[in-house]
Amino acid sequence: MTARVLIIAGSDSGGGAGIQADIKAVTMLGGHAMTAITAITAQNTLGVQRVHPVPADMVLAQIDSVASDIGVDAVKIGMIGSAQTAAAVAERLSRPDLAQAALVFDPVMVATSGSVLADAATIAAFKALLDRAMVVTPNLPELEALGGEEAVLAHGCSLLIKGGHAEGETVTDRLLETGEGEVARWEAPRIDTPHSHGTGCTLASAIATGLAQGMPLEPAIARARDFVRLSLLDAPGLGQGHGPMGQQFVRNDGLFTGPALNQITLPASDYAVSVAFYKQMGLTQIVDSADNGYARFEAANGVTLSIHVDESVGDGAAGGATAYLESGALDAWVAYLARRGARFDQMPRDEQWGWREARLTDPAGNRLCLYQAGEYRRYPPWRV
């Protein structure tokens, strides 16, 4: 069944953050997005010009409408609009038909441009939402405004602290649990781009989608982070300020549990001739490793194709093609297949090029690679 995600947040007329970013994230990850809009904003990449809150009773009417007909598996809350709306929404989400839905609360206070989106009374009213939330996803300034780690964890929710506002070339996100402290952390190189409008909204909605699909919290966060990073790398560069991300370009990237056929390696006998041929076909070269006889190309839909010249083979061409199937849960998938009799030539292991790979041969002798690469398939550190 399609995962049903209810998004309670404000609308961004520029399409970079808020409801618009939420819908993109949920849709691209295979969920069905429903909305209860808390505020209408006039904004673009330069800032927020006007905010028009939606009355609390209308927010509740939107929630009731979709919940009574379609049903809700997970809820994502972003910009809440007012203290009255925060209190009303928290109460409504405790109703039996909504209480089982996993709640991801992104305590939005300030837009990327610096515009204030929550006053002191609204922030104080967040306590009722913290009590209901499964996980809260503040950045560092938002965490401080909420009173710090212990204050948030006292509500019994999980806490994902986003490190994007910290200094340094590495971004560290930390997951904390009540009574346990830090239970997981993720580190990755900072992506230097001004087009980061909507990162928090996208992350929270991606997490909510994973939870709605039945994923445990940690894998849901890990996949959401991959989705956000790819969206940043795919940003289309629109606007004069903090531009929108490129959620619409994150496809065929193996972010699902099941396999995505998104990469094939073909043999080649002449590196330069083969590179010229695939460029002529309209593919974009993204890896150029002539010394190793290896090149990788990207198609318009994000699928990649590689060529490999292997001099150890008699005619100079690598020994046959290899098809690549990617999964966002590689180890679990391989274990599942092994229990059902699949015989692997290589069990999952981390490779020096940043992929985790398992290998096997089909009944006809064709080579298959099951792997997990995240952003490193299309955006390896050595991308051209």
Side-chain angles (χ1 to χ4, degrees):
M1 182 176 179
T2 299
R4 303 161 296 180
V5 182
L6 171 61
I7 304 154
I8 305 172
S11 170
D12 174 359
S13 59
I19 287 287
Q20 286 78 358
D22 297 322
I23 293 173
K24 294 176 193 176
V26 173
T27 302
M28 294 305 294
L29 288 171
H32 173 69
M34 304 167 288
T35 64
I37 298 176
T38 60
I40 300 169
T41 69
Q43 65 175 293
N44 51 31
T45 67
L46 299 175
V48 180
Q49 290 81 47
R50 290 188 63 183
V51 177
H52 177 71
V54 173
D57 61 346
M58 183 59 189
V59 175
L60 297 180
Q62 295 174 78
I63 294 171
D64 292 343
S65 179
V66 299
S68 63
D69 176 34
I70 300 171
V72 179
D73 298 308
V75 178
K76 181 264 175 155
I77 296 179
M79 178 186 178
I80 200 65
S82 69
Q84 180 185 8
T85 299
V89 167
E91 181 180 2
R92 186 55 49 92
L93 293 180
S94 64
R95 199 174 62 190
D97 63 325
L98 290 167
Q100 299 304 311
L103 172 58
V104 180
F105 179 30
D106 181 25
V108 176
M109 301 177 193
V110 179
T112 303
S113 61
S115 301
V116 175
L117 299 178
D119 58 21
T122 302
I123 295 172
F126 283 172
K127 293 180 179 179
L129 295 172
L130 293 172
D131 287 335
R132 172 63 180 80
M134 176 180 179
V135 61
V136 184
T137 63
N139 58 34
L140 294 176
E142 290 165 347
L143 179 62
E144 182 179 0
L146 292 172
E149 296 177 10
E150 295 304 319
V152 174
L153 292 172
H155 291 271
C157 54
S158 301
L159 171 61
L160 177 65
I161 303 173
K162 300 178 296 192
H165 284 70
E167 299 294 328
E169 295 303 312
T170 299
V171 176
T172 301
D173 299 329
R174 303 166 54 226
L175 178 63
L176 286 72
E177 300 284 358
T178 303
E180 298 183 44
E182 182 179 308
V183 295
R185 70 164 50 203
W186 295 267
E187 296 182 348
R190 186 179 299 276
I191 298 172
D192 185 16
T193 175
H195 303 291
S196 59
H197 191 37
T199 50
C201 305
T202 299
L203 179 71
S205 285
I207 294 170
T209 305
L211 296 174
Q213 292 167 333
M215 297 177 69
L217 181 58
E218 283 189 40
I221 292 172
R223 183 181 74 163
R225 291 182 73 263
D226 284 342
F227 183 80
V228 168
R229 290 183 63 81
L230 282 161
S231 298
L232 285 169
L233 292 166
D234 286 331
L238 302 177
Q240 304 169 62
H242 295 285
M245 302 161 67
Q247 296 95 332
Q248 65 271 30
F249 300 115
V250 184
R251 52 187 184 268
N252 295 311
D253 281 299
L255 298 180
F256 302 95
T257 301
L261 179 58
N262 58 15
Q263 157 70 15
I264 187 169
T265 297
L266 298 175
S269 56
D270 187 308
Y271 182 83
V273 170
S274 293
V275 167
F277 174 82
Y278 284 107
K279 284 184 175 179
Q280 184 180 36
M281 294 292 291
L283 302 181
T284 300
Q285 187 173 7
I286 62 174
V287 173
D288 182 6
S289 184
D291 291 344
N292 297 313
Y294 182 86
R296 192 181 312 153
F297 305 85
E298 183 179 2
N301 63 348
V303 171
T304 51
L305 177 148
S306 301
I307 61 162
H308 185 209
V309 178
D310 186 350
E311 298 299 341
S312 65
V313 179
D315 63 357
T322 303
Y324 290 74
L325 299 172
E326 187 176 13
S327 170
L330 175 66
D331 289 64
W333 182 32
V334 169
Y336 172 85
L337 294 173
R339 288 195 301 269
R340 281 152 182 79
R343 300 182 64 179
F344 286 85
D345 305 320
Q346 173 187 308
M347 295 301 285
R349 75 181 186 199
D350 295 330
E351 305 288 0
Q352 61 182 3
W353 46 88
W355 299 14
R356 184 165 177 80
E357 296 185 358
R359 293 179 177 269
L360 69 163
T361 306
D362 78 1
N366 298 304
R367 296 182 300 183
L368 293 176
C369 177
L370 313 186
Y371 78 110
Q372 186 169 353
E375 67 192 82
Y376 291 110
R377 180 176 65 91
R378 292 195 293 124
Y379 290 97
W382 44 85
R383 181 178 169 121
V384 174

